[in-house]
Amino acid sequence: MLRTITTLGLGLVLLAGCGTEGVRETPAEPGDTSPATVEVTTAEAQAAFDGLGDLSEAWRDEDCAKIEHLTTGVESTIGGRVCAAAREGLAVPGPPGYRDPEFLLPARQDGEDGAWFAVLARKPEPVYLVFVRADGRWRLGAGPIPVVGKTPRVVEGGVEGEVTDAMADPAAAVGARLAPTRHVAFLTDPAGVNGKGVSGVRFASGDPMRGLLAELVRAPGRVRPDHLSTDVRIEGPARALALPGGGSLVFHALRVVFTQKPGSGRSSLAHPRYRSADVRAFTGGTSTSVTGSEILVLATKVAKDNTMTTVGMRRVLADLTADSDEGSG
């Protein structure tokens, strides 16, 4: 089960839960083959959220070691290469301070993928953040994920309430687990541009996924005579909250890879996808062929009928690699 608590109720919770800071572990019953369960406390979640200020400071200072220490999962993957490139001139906007958080706390979870919780921070602009406990401390695992659609209600009425971890809800688990795979199927199905792809996966008109698919389909033609290929992969595990009435809110990530090479008989790109300054920041030089990895960090609503809607999305250039180096100029 999970509970959702806003800062308005935090003081009362802390008073009622005095002495319960940290992640509590409940061992399995004798003879039970299921793993021990863990419970995330509100005080621990608040402290982790407050620690975002340290992460913002690390990005401002281009302190890559500190960023690595404070992140895990997809955020660690992004931070490693992007921070190193920032030291070489890549423009990286500093994250703002987030306020007005609503905590979505797993009260009991099996911990097989690490204890976790989510936050919907409503100011300065609504974003989702996912924290994961790794190596004995809370780290930012995914986020910020800017909200691009209507945020679904995760509890029936009221500020406080309980919902079920989607992975523990038979009605929601299958759709939640398949959401990343279904995204890959959609984004690799050119016929899906008109809403009638052979994959069977559907997104409503106007959904960011429809726009992204159109971009992927049209991208090779826009750089001719260069050759451009694309690939879409799942990046890391998904975590999900069950929604009242069925369905789930899934937090997950995809990696979109673009490989661009000069056309036949050419020694340079005619229409480079990436700026030369960005290529230089990541690679230290220039190249005739470039592979770019862009990571999508997503919050997706999966309805009871498995219809998917993008609720939050962040797109990050996470890496550039070059086939040949022509100097560091």
Side-chain angles (χ1 to χ4, degrees):
M1 302 294 290
L2 294 109
R3 61 188 182 280
T4 171
I5 304 173
T6 66
T7 50
L8 294 176
L10 180 60
L12 292 176
V13 171
L14 290 176
L15 289 173
C18 183
T20 61
E21 287 194 14
V23 176
R24 293 196 296 262
E25 182 171 335
T26 303
E29 295 294 331
D32 191 348
T33 58
S34 62
T37 60
V38 295
E39 181 175 350
V40 182
T41 67
T42 304
E44 189 86 347
Q46 180 70 56
F49 179 77
D50 291 343
L52 287 175
D54 293 336
L55 183 58
S56 295
E57 182 179 290
W59 275 108
R60 286 194 298 269
D61 296 342
E62 296 175 359
D63 188 339
C64 301
K66 188 174 182 180
I67 291 171
E68 182 179 1
H69 182 66
L70 296 173
T71 60
T72 189
V74 67
E75 292 306 319
S76 180
T77 298
I78 293 171
R81 290 289 289 138
V82 172
C83 181
R87 289 177 167 179
E88 301 300 325
L90 181 72
V92 180
Y98 295 107
R99 308 184 305 280
D100 194 15
E102 177 183 351
F103 296 104
L104 307 171
L105 306 180
R108 297 181 69 83
Q109 53 183 295
D110 61 28
E112 287 184 344
D113 291 324
W116 72 282
F117 68 91
V119 180
L120 173 58
R122 300 187 182 279
K123 294 179 180 179
E125 299 293 340
V127 299
Y128 283 107
L129 303 125
V130 177
F131 291 85
V132 178
R133 192 166 181 85
D135 297 325
R137 62 178 291 118
W138 287 107
R139 303 169 188 248
L140 183 65
I145 311 172
V147 171
V148 297
K150 183 178 180 181
T151 57
R153 181 182 298 174
V154 297
V155 295
E156 290 285 6
V159 172
E160 299 185 19
E162 291 187 344
V163 297
T164 304
D165 186 331
M167 300 308 180
D169 183 349
V174 174
R177 288 194 178 97
L178 289 180
T181 302
R182 297 177 75 224
H183 271 80
V184 172
F186 178 80
L187 292 174
T188 54
D189 177 10
V193 171
N194 59 15
K196 299 179 180 179
V198 297
S199 70
V201 181
R202 302 286 186 269
F203 286 91
S205 177
D207 191 284
M209 287 301 107
R210 289 279 291 271
L212 177 58
L213 176 58
E215 176 191 335
L216 297 182
V217 170
R218 296 166 186 161
R222 290 177 173 172
V223 299
R224 290 188 182 123
D226 300 334
H227 298 296
L228 181 70
S229 62
T230 62
D231 186 26
V232 182
R233 310 165 188 169
I234 295 172
E235 184 75 17
R239 292 177 171 84
L241 309 178
L243 299 178
S248 57
L249 176 61
V250 186
F251 304 104
H252 60 114
L254 303 174
R255 181 183 291 262
V256 184
V257 180
F258 297 89
T259 299
Q260 186 176 7
K261 299 179 180 181
S264 178
R266 296 185 58 88
S267 60
S268 63
L269 298 174
H271 305 287
R273 178 176 179 84
Y274 300 105
R275 300 187 313 157
S276 58
D278 293 343
V279 174
R280 189 176 301 277
F282 275 102
T283 69
T286 58
S287 176
T288 56
S289 299
V290 176
T291 296
S293 289
E294 301 179 18
I295 291 184
L296 305 176
V297 192
L298 301 165
T300 302
K301 178 184 177 181
V302 181
K304 189 175 182 179
D305 64 359
N306 285 329
T307 300
M308 297 196 298
T309 304
T310 304
V311 174
M313 177 175 172
R314 170 164 142 252
R315 185 171 178 177
V316 184
L317 176 59
D319 197 10
L320 286 173
T321 57
D323 286 350
S324 63
D325 216 331
E326 298 177 0
S328 57

